Amino acid sequence: MRFRPCIDIHNGRVKQIVGGSLRDTGDQAKENHVAEQDASYFAHLYREKNLKGGHIVLLNPQGSAFYEATRAQAFQALAAFPGGLQIGGGIRPDNAREYLDGGASHVIVTSYVFREGRISYEHLDGIRREVGREHLVLDLSCRKKDGRYYVVTDRWQRFTDTEVTLDLLRELGESCAEFLVHAVDVEGKAAGIDEELVRLLAESEGCPVTYAGGVGGYHDLERLRRAGRGRVDVTIGSALDLFGGSMQFDKVLGYCDKNM
């Protein structure tokens, strides 16, 4: 189980938010923490610790008054850790290469592939051809409805008809290098992981999977390790001391290094 760091950027600032609270209208979100440092500070820190495979997420849509400020922060972080970070948020074939050239190791895609509530295989093929399977991460962040997990898009605001299943992971794994999965219903709440979802992700034997959502203490890391059988990587946001939480960054790294 590897630790994958994160840099979430909203309204031009590094933040931790409650995932389900994000609204495009008025660029609103319930904030857990707003960092005093800029995105490049965190990228330098992750580079010093050799923490490759973390992700930057742009939480403002194109057209937002804050979009360019958010993008500027993202490019500063990529320049500070070239080849070390992935990036997601509004990625399309016409801008993906710009992020890779700016230092991203991978681009992370959700809404471009899941269009109007369903998978667009045409779009999936298009982004894969543009960046190559080896540089593509598919974000299958999901919410529960009627006892099942469904991919949500548009900054987690819209349900699709795509259920997260082993068959889906096997199928999409042929087109990407990794999966990123936020458990949106518990994201940003630091109130416990979604063990059912983690167990499902652990059944996948193809691409590496990074889970995010609900880690609130060291006991949650142990729960995640057991439920994920050591095969599911983890990212932590609001609970980490870097972002105002109580979990010590170095202690988390030590735990994950011990359980790789």
Side-chain angles (χ1 to χ4, degrees):
M1 182 173 74
R2 292 181 296 169
F3 177 73
R4 303 287 198 103
C6 64
I7 303 174
D8 295 347
I9 309 173
H10 182 244
N11 295 357
R13 301 286 299 276
V14 175
K15 295 183 182 180
Q16 286 296 312
I17 67 168
V18 176
S21 73
L22 190 61
R23 298 291 182 271
D24 288 346
T25 303
D27 296 299
Q28 299 177 35
K30 183 178 179 180
E31 298 171 348
N32 286 327
H33 180 77
V34 181
E36 295 181 1
Q37 304 92 341
D38 63 13
S40 66
Y41 168 87
F42 294 98
H44 279 296
L45 175 62
Y46 301 154
R47 183 176 183 176
E48 289 173 3
K49 300 290 186 179
N50 196 31
L51 291 174
K52 292 185 177 181
H55 57 274
I56 301 168
V57 177
L58 288 72
L59 293 173
N60 291 104
Q62 189 172 9
S64 162
F66 296 96
Y67 180 67
E68 290 303 328
T70 292
R71 263 175 45 98
Q73 283 288 306
F75 278 110
Q76 289 175 26
L78 292 176
F81 193 2
L85 294 166
Q86 306 168 1
I87 190 165
I91 305 295
R92 307 176 305 277
D94 62 348
N95 66 12
R97 182 57 57 183
E98 182 181 8
Y99 290 112
L100 292 175
D101 291 344
S105 63
H106 300 70
V107 292
I108 306 168
V109 178
T110 308
S111 297
Y112 180 76
V113 168
F114 295 89
R115 305 295 295 177
E116 298 180 355
R118 58 184 58 87
I119 298 175
S120 169
Y121 290 97
E122 179 182 357
H123 282 199
L124 177 59
D125 289 342
I127 191 72
R128 183 186 60 194
R129 287 195 302 270
E130 177 63 29
V131 304
R133 176 180 181 270
E134 69 276 14
H135 295 297
L136 180 61
V137 176
L138 290 179
D139 184 338
L140 302 183
S141 295
C142 54
R143 306 184 79 165
K144 206 169 191 180
K145 182 172 67 174
D146 300 327
R148 299 178 179 181
Y149 295 99
Y150 290 89
V151 174
V152 288
T153 64
D154 302 306
R155 290 156 301 283
W156 307 331
Q157 296 169 72
R158 178 175 182 174
F159 273 94
T160 70
D161 64 2
T162 303
E163 183 182 353
V164 179
T165 64
L166 285 179
D167 286 341
L168 180 75
L169 293 168
R170 292 189 190 103
E171 176 188 358
L172 295 183
E174 297 179 0
S175 297
C176 67
E178 297 184 16
F179 294 114
L180 173 64
V181 183
H182 290 81
V184 177
D185 289 326
V186 297
E187 170 70 20
K189 298 179 181 179
I193 65 169
D194 188 330
E195 285 194 44
E196 182 182 351
L197 177 58
V198 173
R199 286 193 295 270
L200 170 62
L201 298 176
E203 293 293 326
S204 177
E205 297 182 355
C207 298
V209 181
T210 298
Y211 167 89
V215 176
Y218 303 108
H219 62 287
D220 285 317
L221 281 180
E222 180 62 17
R223 290 173 60 206
L224 196 151
R225 184 190 66 80
R226 291 182 179 180
R229 293 182 288 163
R231 300 169 60 183
V232 177
D233 293 339
V234 62
T235 189
I236 303 173
S238 300
L240 206 61
D241 60 358
L242 296 180
F243 304 114
S246 61
M247 296 181 72
Q248 298 174 26
F249 180 53
D250 287 335
K251 189 172 179 178
V252 169
L253 297 187
Y255 179 92
C256 290
D257 287 343
K258 182 180 178 181
N259 290 283
M260 283 184 62

